[in-house]
Amino acid sequence: MDEDLPTEFDLVVVGTGFVESIVAAAASRIGKTVLHIDPNDFYGGTWASFNLDALQSFISSIAESPATDESKQFNSIKNASQIWHVTTPTATPADDAIPEGQEATEKIWTKENVLKEFRRFNVDLSPKLLFSCGKLVKLLISSNICRYAEFRAVDHVCTIINGQTRSVPCSRTDVFNTKDLSIVEKRLLMKLLTSCMGYDEHPEEFKDYEDKTFLEYLKSVKLTDNIIHCVLYSISMSNEQTSLKDGIDNTKKFLNSLGRYGNTPFLFPMYGCGEIPQCFCRLCAVFGGIYCLKRSVSNVSIADAKVDSIKCGNQDIKASNIVVGHGNILPDFSIPAGGTGVGKKCGGISRAIYITSSPLGAEELNSSGGGVNFLKLTDESGTGAFVLQLSHYSGTCPKGLYLIHISCSAKSNNPEADIKPYLDKLLTTDHPPAILYSIYFTIDACLRCTSGASITNDSLSNVFVCCGPSFELDYDESIDNAEGIFKKIYPEDEFLPRAPDPEEIVIGDEDPVSVADDVITLDSVKEQIMELEAGLLHQEDCMEENSRNEEMAMEVGEE
Amino acid sequence: MTTSTEKREHLYKILVIGELGAGKTSFIKRYVHQFFSANYRATIGVDFALKVLHWDPNTIVRLQLWDIAGQERFGNMTRVYYKEAVGAFIVFDVTRSGTFDAVSKWKEDLDAKVQLPGGGPIPCILLANKCDQEKQGIVTNIEKMDEYVKVNGFSGWFETSAKENVNIEESARALVNQILLNDKLITVADIMDNEKFALESTSGQQITTMKKNCSC
């Protein structure tokens, strides 16, 4: 396993985060030789998911190293802290207070028995949701990388009204079944959504509100406060200042993603979002990319404003192009100028992760052991927070426990303070979650976004820097970032054409020929996307231990 | 079910791991495609090879054999590779004892990264490949090998030769037997989760959820 690497590559990628992994996969896919390394011993960088054991050590390692430590491998996460809110039963000498057997039957969660299940956790540093017809879903399908991943439809899109956590009716059926709305309200809501969808065909309906906010428009069509609340905050994920155009675009995006999978427009990757970069890495490897974790670039040699070779371990490796991820930039790298297609800065996110022993909201939001629920919270100052509750059905935590992720724009170097107003909203609802453990940290902007383009002195024309996670729900900006970098390096080539399925490859004695490459055209990709609606390929071999199919459960009994 | 006898079909993911040059790809090609060639090109763009077994009149077994393919030879396989595997072969080259030294490291790595739904290790068979050539090291002593396999939690071991087609079918049959045995212990409830799905659309099932954007 300690063999030497080849000494020449078309592309060297440093860091296995989302953006870097897409660029690596795309280059490998068109036949370029790729070396993909990561200084960490895990995949994903700022986009990784950890089991609970690894998460705790990761957070401690960041909390303990001084913020100014340049040599730190991981410099994109800072201000990290963690605390257990349950004490250990061994702390009290009175052993008989909590007998051994009792724990199992009454499910009293102590630090010990939470930690015992550490392998069942897959905790995301950067949790995201996918719009069912968003960019990532389309890319996964068009590139055929979707075969590496499985998803779960988000069960409920929630909102908090008057201290109550409620499900926002998403599908047509939901609208008609909900008891929260009167018949008149239901008709008004359907009418509103229909006219939003028809915005492009009938712009005249909105003429008087073109320069106004979405809220002003909603108020003008005589909606009740409840409906305005649902549409403005949950469906369009807007706030009081959002313009009519943006509000309608957001609403359309939400509606367009409905009815593809499940009851809401959103998908969550099984076993956490950290799976997604690895799907791209696997594709890169299958097409010949070489993977090497725990390796970093110790030096670069520069010739003619280009990096000529890099020092990796004790080897000098020539590279035509270099892509460097968020948090992996060498201190003496000068960062090339120029846009990457990302409109706003990456990073700048305050994060909180809670392990809780009860879910947010009432039983109907968490049927049969908990839902994968999404909540958008707003505040007066603007961008608000994304709240994601994950139950064991997401493959990211053990049964009986929940992960609650909160992400908001960083306002200070104190993520706990940034998150507090949102946490308070959750804790003052009718069914607040019971928190066992909490983690706070800040995801920094990448060096390029922090410094702008001015950092360049003599820009290196063959070095490309990837952004870290942006404060967005889906991955749209990050995909633009990756595609932009790919197009700069290989302007003539197709970005992630469909990879053939194993069955489509005919293996001959000497010359394996991929039939699929000849047959597959863009048209069939389009067809595939259209077929998306027919989805739901049932995974018979899936090994998830539980069934949510109640009929099935009734027939064979639980577990 | 409309047929009177119930036909069962199983799809199993099997990992083939081991050091570079141990004969992983040769083993797969011999087993799946029934041919051997001394100089393969690195297989580009293939995740796994599919072998269909008519196990008995009522059982069809589809085996996906996942090669680690030299690319991940530094041992840093992605989770995608390990995920939901139900069996494994670890291959070493009897002519190079160095490839055997790495076997226990591969086994540890395997057990750490993938478990059966119940938490136990997945069945794994050790293949002493290239047995048509001169052997080196522990593999010359059958008793020691038996002991090693037992201590390290393998389901068994075989001397194989992909070149001469020795024990290829037999070793695969032994692994499938073990997998089928494990599978019987898993109830239908364990493997059904209707809410978990892939994004592919090969099945004809249509979701009939109405879109909200029609007038009412």
Side-chain angles (χ1 to χ4, degrees), chain A residues 191-258:
Chain A
K191 185 161 175 284
L192 170 77
L193 297 175
T194 309
S195 49
C196 284
M197 287 306 290
Y199 177 73
D200 289 331
E201 290 86 59
H202 308 284
E204 67 279 358
E205 282 183 38
F206 301 89
K207 217 171 170 215
D208 299 343
Y209 297 90
E210 263 168 21
D211 306 323
K212 298 192 171 151
T213 63
F214 190 43
L215 176 61
E216 284 172 293
Y217 168 73
L218 293 176
K219 283 188 170 158
S220 77
V221 285
K222 300 187 191 76
L223 295 170
T224 58
D225 289 349
N226 273 354
I227 295 185
I228 290 179
H229 181 100
C230 289
V231 174
L232 185 64
Y233 300 126
S234 300
I235 292 181
S236 82
M237 285 179 262
S238 303
N239 61 28
E240 290 78 1
Q241 284 83 44
T242 307
S243 70
L244 174 77
K245 179 85 177 68
D246 289 349
I248 287 189
D249 285 347
N250 293 346
T251 306
K252 281 170 74 172
K253 188 172 182 186
F254 186 101
L255 296 177
N256 279 329
S257 282
L258 275 175

Side-chain angles (χ1 to χ4, degrees), chain A residues 43 148 260 275 534 544 549, chain B residues 47 76 79 190 194 205 207:
Chain A
Y43 280 94
Y148 296 140
R260 291 180 184 270
E275 295 284 300
E544 184 62 3
N549 184 325
Chain B
D47 267 304
N76 308 129
R79 265 183 54 112
D190 289 328
N194 283 340
Q205 293 167 290
I207 311 180

Side-chain angles (χ1 to χ4, degrees), chain A residues 509-544:
Chain A
D509 199 342
E510 278 304 311
D511 196 13
V513 178
S514 157
V515 218
D517 276 353
D518 301 327
V519 180
I520 298 304
T521 62
L522 270 177
D523 282 349
S524 65
V525 172
K526 271 185 207 148
E527 265 170 43
Q528 272 229 330
I529 292 173
M530 284 163 68
E531 278 172 29
L532 234 170
E533 282 192 65
L536 271 188
L537 176 68
H538 182 63
Q539 294 287 299
E540 287 194 335
D541 56 329
C542 71
M543 297 194 295
E544 184 62 3

